[in-house]
Amino acid sequence: MTDRQGYRRALRERLPRAQERIATAAARSGRDAGAVRIVAVTKGHPHGVVEAALAEGLRDLGENRVEELAEKSPRFEGRGVRWHVIGHVQRRKAGGAARMAALVHSVDSVRLAAKLSRLGEAAGRRIPALVQVNTSGEAAKGGFPEGQALDGIATVAALGGLRVLGLMTMAPFTTDGRMLHDTFRRTRLLLEAAAGIDGLAGRELSMGMSNDFEIAIEEGSTMVRLGTTLFGERPG
Ligand SMILES: *Cc1c(COP(=O)(O)O)cnc(C)c1O
């Protein structure tokens, strides 16, 4: 059995379950499940997982490392994949992210934003981006600290080579529901507070992973980044 067939069989069972959980969480909070997009996180899996995702109709795929994206994406050119860069981008790798990503979720500093913006301007386009905010308060997490987030969003949204569509956050790794609700809610409130900022061109909230996406949806997520719950544990 090829890994593609194995992944496809697993995904055929797992995707409807994930979609149902999304629908239930959306209904619980009076939201339309159609307003929540799945970004299927293929990082750490072989190419068979991308084939399986495409076969099941998923088109928004996420990678956290530019190197892995550069390795995977050429094989799937012309297949309608929208690649999402979801992990920290080193400035020297910004060129790859600018070229390959349909959306960079992890704009976590003004310096990275400025570099991406220059690349966008050189290419004659505005690179779609989200500003990553650190609403978990964990030092190890990336993103603009909450107290500097509004200034950060304003600075990034003013750059001519970016199209800033909203915010992204990563919750603490915990099963404490209250803490998760709180992190996601504060991210939504930041987006609401940022609504009047010039150049902010969207209302996307990228929040929620396999272990916390239902809570993220209840708090307003429009993009859930799902790896394990769709594809199982990453090998290695
Ligand atoms: C790996 C990763 C995910 C997916 O994690 P799962 O727990 O496997 O769903 C989501 N977001 C980011 C930024 C990641 O690096």
Side-chain angles (χ1 to χ4, degrees):
M1 187 171 72
T2 67
D3 62 21
R4 178 211 310 214
Q5 288 165 329
Y7 277 125
R8 184 150 184 209
R9 183 170 311 156
L11 187 58
R12 264 199 203 128
E13 283 187 19
R14 288 165 173 271
L15 179 59
R17 283 212 300 266
Q19 286 166 328
E20 195 171 315
R21 288 171 64 188
I22 289 169
T24 304
R28 214 164 28 232
S29 46
R31 302 185 59 215
D32 174 4
V36 182
R37 202 187 324 178
I38 294 177
V39 175
V41 178
T42 51
K43 75 176 186 201
H45 288 286
H47 296 105
V49 98
V50 178
E51 288 291 355
L54 291 174
E56 294 306 310
L58 295 164
R59 290 294 177 276
D60 290 284
L61 306 184
E63 286 286 334
N64 70 330
R65 290 173 47 245
V66 174
E67 296 91 326
E68 193 170 339
L69 174 57
E71 202 267 312
K72 278 200 180 104
S73 65
R75 299 191 184 218
F76 300 98
E77 217 143 293
R79 309 270 306 270
V81 179
R82 290 182 293 271
W83 290 105
H84 295 245
V85 168
I86 61 175
H88 174 67
V89 179
Q90 293 169 280
R91 267 175 297 135
R92 61 193 169 83
K93 307 270 171 63
R99 214 168 34 251
M100 293 178 283
L103 180 63
V104 181
H105 291 227
S106 41
V107 175
D108 55 7
S109 72
V110 170
R111 291 175 80 191
L112 173 63
K115 177 89 193 263
L116 286 169
S117 177
R118 283 196 297 278
L119 290 159
E121 284 178 332
R125 68 184 197 105
R126 297 177 87 111
I127 296 165
L130 303 178
V131 175
Q132 183 175 350
V133 293
N134 182 348
T135 35
S136 75
E138 286 185 350
K141 293 270 191 311
F144 289 85
E146 201 168 352
Q148 298 162 29
L150 283 175
D151 282 347
I153 296 163
T155 305
V156 174
L159 295 168
L162 295 184
R163 189 170 155 74
V164 178
L165 296 174
L167 304 182
M168 180 270 222
T169 199
M170 294 197 39
F173 190 73
T174 176
T175 54
D176 180 341
R178 260 208 347 234
M179 193 183 281
L180 292 169
H181 271 285
D182 189 57
T183 299
F184 294 134
R185 183 180 312 122
R186 290 213 312 279
T187 308
R188 169 167 46 82
L189 292 173
L190 264 180
L191 184 67
E192 286 171 11
I197 288 177
D198 266 354
L200 183 65
R203 307 271 300 150
E204 301 286 350
L205 281 172
S206 167
M207 40 188 215
M209 309 177 21
S210 291
N211 62 319
D212 57 20
F213 67 96
E214 288 150 301
I215 293 173
I217 289 167
E218 288 176 27
E219 296 296 346
S221 172
T222 64
M223 288 185 201
V224 288
R225 308 179 306 267
L226 303 181
T228 312
T229 202
L230 295 180
F231 305 123
E233 297 293 331
R234 288 173 278 276

